[in-house]
Amino acid sequence: MWLQVYPIGAPGQNGSAMHTAVSALNASLGRSRPLWQVRNLKTLKPNSLNPKTAVQVVQSFNWAQMGSEGAGLCKHSGQCHTPNLTESRSMAWQAIAGGANGVLFFSYDDLHHNPDVPFEEGWRRLKAVGFEIARFAPALLSARAPEPVVARRPAWLMTRAHWNTTASERTIILFAVSDGNGGGPVTVSVPGVRAVHVVNEPTRRAVAVAGSTFTDSIGPLCVRVYELVLSSTVE
């Protein structure tokens, strides 16, 4: 099943439309015909879709190259541009945090025609996002771990947790993403956690743990990957 969301440059939309779309999709899984593509989120209704493998399509084009439809959107919004690296990265990880089993970027051909970004730069950005996702593929393909408890969970936060089967210690990999509609300190509780590190920054960064809780700041459109080491006595 495919879900296409192309918000960058559309009037009144930003990267958080990905969060809205995958949340609507998750709420709609259940019965009726499988989803191939959705261009209008208002058509998604509860229990209207079959639960099948979901592949999220992420925008990599500038609406300005999309004929009369794109010209109309750009004229109305006044903000058409090719998604930048931060937007592309956040939208891809929002899709993954929302449960997508795969991500596609639309489209390779359009990278050659974006009026504001040369092909080489656009391709470099998408490769960077792809390489980061591939780096964490072993965790993403492992068993899901229990979702942590987030104090006063902000509406802009998306999370996804997996067991790290390649670690010598009992470890969870937690993916945390801001949809761009907010950011700030986030307090997470995981029973038995004794050490936490951010592992997708240039330098591995330790986060202080107090009891079974840690707090870290996540900025708008930010993607954080945490390694949570648990006590061996925790079931």
Side-chain angles (χ1 to χ4, degrees):
M1 122 179 36
W2 308 79
L3 182 61
Q4 301 184 31
V5 183
Y6 305 139
I8 304 303
Q13 295 196 39
N14 57 30
S16 68
M18 183 65 71
H19 187 177
T20 302
V22 295
S23 296
L25 176 61
N26 289 335
S28 299
L29 293 175
R31 56 185 175 83
S32 188
R33 62 183 177 84
L35 175 71
W36 178 61
Q37 62 176 356
V38 173
R39 294 296 298 274
N40 183 354
L41 297 181
K42 294 180 180 179
T43 64
L44 282 176
K45 297 179 180 180
N47 300 318
S48 64
L49 305 171
N50 281 332
K52 292 177 181 273
T53 300
V55 176
Q56 179 62 54
V57 183
V58 178
Q59 178 183 353
S60 63
F61 63 86
N62 184 331
W63 273 108
Q65 63 160 298
M66 293 299 172
S68 58
E69 180 184 7
L73 286 174
C74 293
K75 182 178 180 179
H76 186 55
S77 71
Q79 59 181 15
C80 281
H81 64 276
T82 300
N84 59 40
L85 176 58
T86 300
E87 291 168 332
S88 297
R89 180 174 180 247
S90 179
M91 288 191 293
W93 279 107
Q94 285 178 54
I96 292 169
N101 296 323
V103 173
L104 296 176
F105 292 95
F106 187 84
S107 72
Y108 179 82
D109 181 64
D110 293 327
L111 291 177
H112 292 84
H113 304 290
N114 286 326
D116 55 338
V117 176
F119 168 80
E120 292 77 9
E121 174 60 18
W123 184 236
R124 182 193 67 80
R125 294 174 184 177
L126 298 189
K127 285 197 300 181
V129 177
F131 284 140
E132 182 178 45
I133 294 171
R135 175 187 171 191
F136 294 104
L140 290 167
L141 294 172
S142 70
R144 293 290 288 264
E147 282 293 316
V149 175
V150 179
R152 297 180 298 279
R153 188 183 186 97
W156 49 261
L157 180 67
M158 304 179 71
T159 59
R160 176 169 173 168
H162 286 261
W163 292 108
N164 183 4
T165 57
T166 63
S168 58
E169 299 177 281
R170 191 169 173 80
T171 306
I172 291 173
I173 299 296
L174 173 64
F175 302 91
V177 188
S178 163
D179 69 9
N181 277 342
V186 174
T187 298
V188 180
S189 296
V190 179
V193 65
R194 62 179 181 81
V196 176
H197 290 86
V198 178
V199 294
N200 70 324
E201 295 178 349
T203 302
R204 181 181 171 92
R205 173 170 63 87
V207 180
V209 176
S212 61
T213 300
F214 69 93
T215 300
D216 196 29
S217 183
I218 300 176
L221 294 177
C222 183
V223 179
R224 287 279 162 72
V225 184
Y226 298 96
E227 179 188 77
L228 316 178
V229 179
L230 308 183
S231 169
S232 59
T233 61
V234 176
E235 294 296 330

